[in-house]
């Protein structure tokens, strides 16, 4: 089973999001704002070639969703995924999704627990994966893609190896688009990244020779000694 990325480095833009998640999680655990919804809101779009900074975001207290419609559930987020694609989402450039909206919680894949439910397939206490954003609470439904992931796998695996952002991208790129076969040589840029590290392991499972391109000797060592890459270039 493929291993997921270990923390090696955090980009400045991602560091801010990480700090925000800590703030949101602490509030949820301590129940310091039980009647509100703490969120990291995107205020300003990043400039071209410039790292995102605190000025792009604001942590705010929003009203906690109260009235649920038919088929809706209230989810309290437990984990959020920090992905390089969030830098793309924050811009208004042409991209594969509609850009993240200004004045709204920053888009992010999340996994949370259902606290209130008007949907039999998503009972209270079930764990739901979705695009819940960087906020404590959000309302969703089965019709919007909310799925009870059960308890067979660690919850965080649904934001990594089983993620529709990370795991699915690696799977489709390796097995569908490239159609890697035994004996192929596969070279992966960003080899130590979330997608690249999984793609390399998937290619190895098909019997390919895998070379990763990385940014440091430490990352190269990780690929070859722990993930089974045949080589790495740093």
């Amino acid at each position: 089973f493929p291993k997921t990325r270990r923390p090696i480095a955090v980009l400045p833009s991602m560091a801010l999001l990480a700090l925000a998640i800590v703030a949101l999680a602490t509030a949820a655990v301590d129940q310091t704002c039980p009647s509100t919804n703490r969120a990291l809101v995107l205020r300003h779009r990043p400039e071209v070639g410039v790292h995102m900074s605190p000025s792009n975001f604001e942590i705010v207290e929003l009203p906690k969703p109260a009235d649920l419609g038919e088929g809706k559930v209230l989810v309290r987020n437990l984990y959020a995924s920090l992905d390089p694609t969030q830098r793309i989402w924050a811009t208004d450039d042409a991209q594969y999704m509609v850009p993240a909206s200004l004045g709204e919680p920053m888009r992010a894949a999340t996994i949370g627990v259902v606290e209130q439910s008007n949907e039999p397939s998503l009972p209270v206490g079930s764990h739901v994966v979705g695009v819940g954003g960087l906020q404590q609470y959000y309302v969703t439904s089965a019709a919007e893609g909310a799925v009870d992931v059960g308890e067979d796998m660690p919850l965080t695996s649904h934001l990594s190896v089983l993620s529709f952002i990370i795991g699915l991208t690696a799977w489709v790129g390796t097995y569908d688009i490239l159609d890697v076969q035994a004996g192929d040589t596969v070279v992966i840029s960003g080899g130590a990244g979330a997608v690249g590290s999984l793609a390399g392991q998937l290619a190895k499972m098909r019997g390919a020779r895998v070379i990763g391109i990385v940014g440091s000797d430490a990352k190269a060592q990780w690929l070859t000694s722990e993930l089974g890459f045949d080589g790495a270039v740093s």
Side-chain angles (χ1 to χ4, degrees), residues 136-218:
Q136 283 181 276
Y137 297 96
Y138 74 107
V139 174
T140 187
S141 66
E144 296 171 272
V147 177
D148 181 355
V149 298
E151 299 181 357
D152 294 336
M153 298 292 294
L155 289 180
T156 53
S157 68
H158 297 283
L159 297 180
S160 55
V161 67
L162 300 178
S163 166
F164 56 87
I165 295 176
I166 298 170
L168 183 60
T169 301
W171 179 278
V172 171
T174 304
Y175 289 165
D176 188 13
I177 297 175
L178 286 181
D179 189 23
V180 172
Q181 300 296 321
D184 289 345
T185 295
V186 179
V187 179
I188 301 177
S189 62
V195 173
S197 61
L198 289 178
Q201 293 175 83
L202 291 172
K204 287 295 296 180
M205 292 169 68
R206 279 278 181 92
R209 177 172 177 264
V210 178
I211 307 297
I213 300 175
V214 296
S216 71
D217 291 342

Side-chain angles (χ1 to χ4, degrees), residues 62-73:
L62 301 174
K64 181 179 177 180
D67 298 327
L68 301 182
E70 183 178 354
K72 299 289 187 176
V73 296

Side-chain angles (χ1 to χ4, degrees), residues 69-164:
E70 183 178 354
K72 299 289 187 176
V73 296
L74 176 66
V75 179
R76 175 169 57 86
N77 282 328
L78 301 176
Y79 299 98
S81 182
L82 299 183
D83 302 295
T85 192
Q86 285 167 307
R87 178 62 171 76
I88 300 173
W89 293 343
T91 73
D92 57 3
D93 297 339
Q95 51 189 281
Y96 62 96
M97 293 179 69
V98 175
S101 299
L102 292 175
E104 297 292 332
M106 182 60 201
R107 181 185 297 154
T110 60
I111 188 162
V113 60
V114 175
E115 288 201 344
Q116 299 177 32
S117 176
N118 285 335
E119 170 54 55
S121 67
L122 300 171
V124 171
S126 58
H127 291 101
V128 170
V129 65
V131 186
L134 294 181
Q135 56 186 333
Q136 283 181 276
Y137 297 96
Y138 74 107
V139 174
T140 187
S141 66
E144 296 171 272
V147 177
D148 181 355
V149 298
E151 299 181 357
D152 294 336
M153 298 292 294
L155 289 180
T156 53
S157 68
H158 297 283
L159 297 180
S160 55
V161 67
L162 300 178
S163 166
F164 56 87

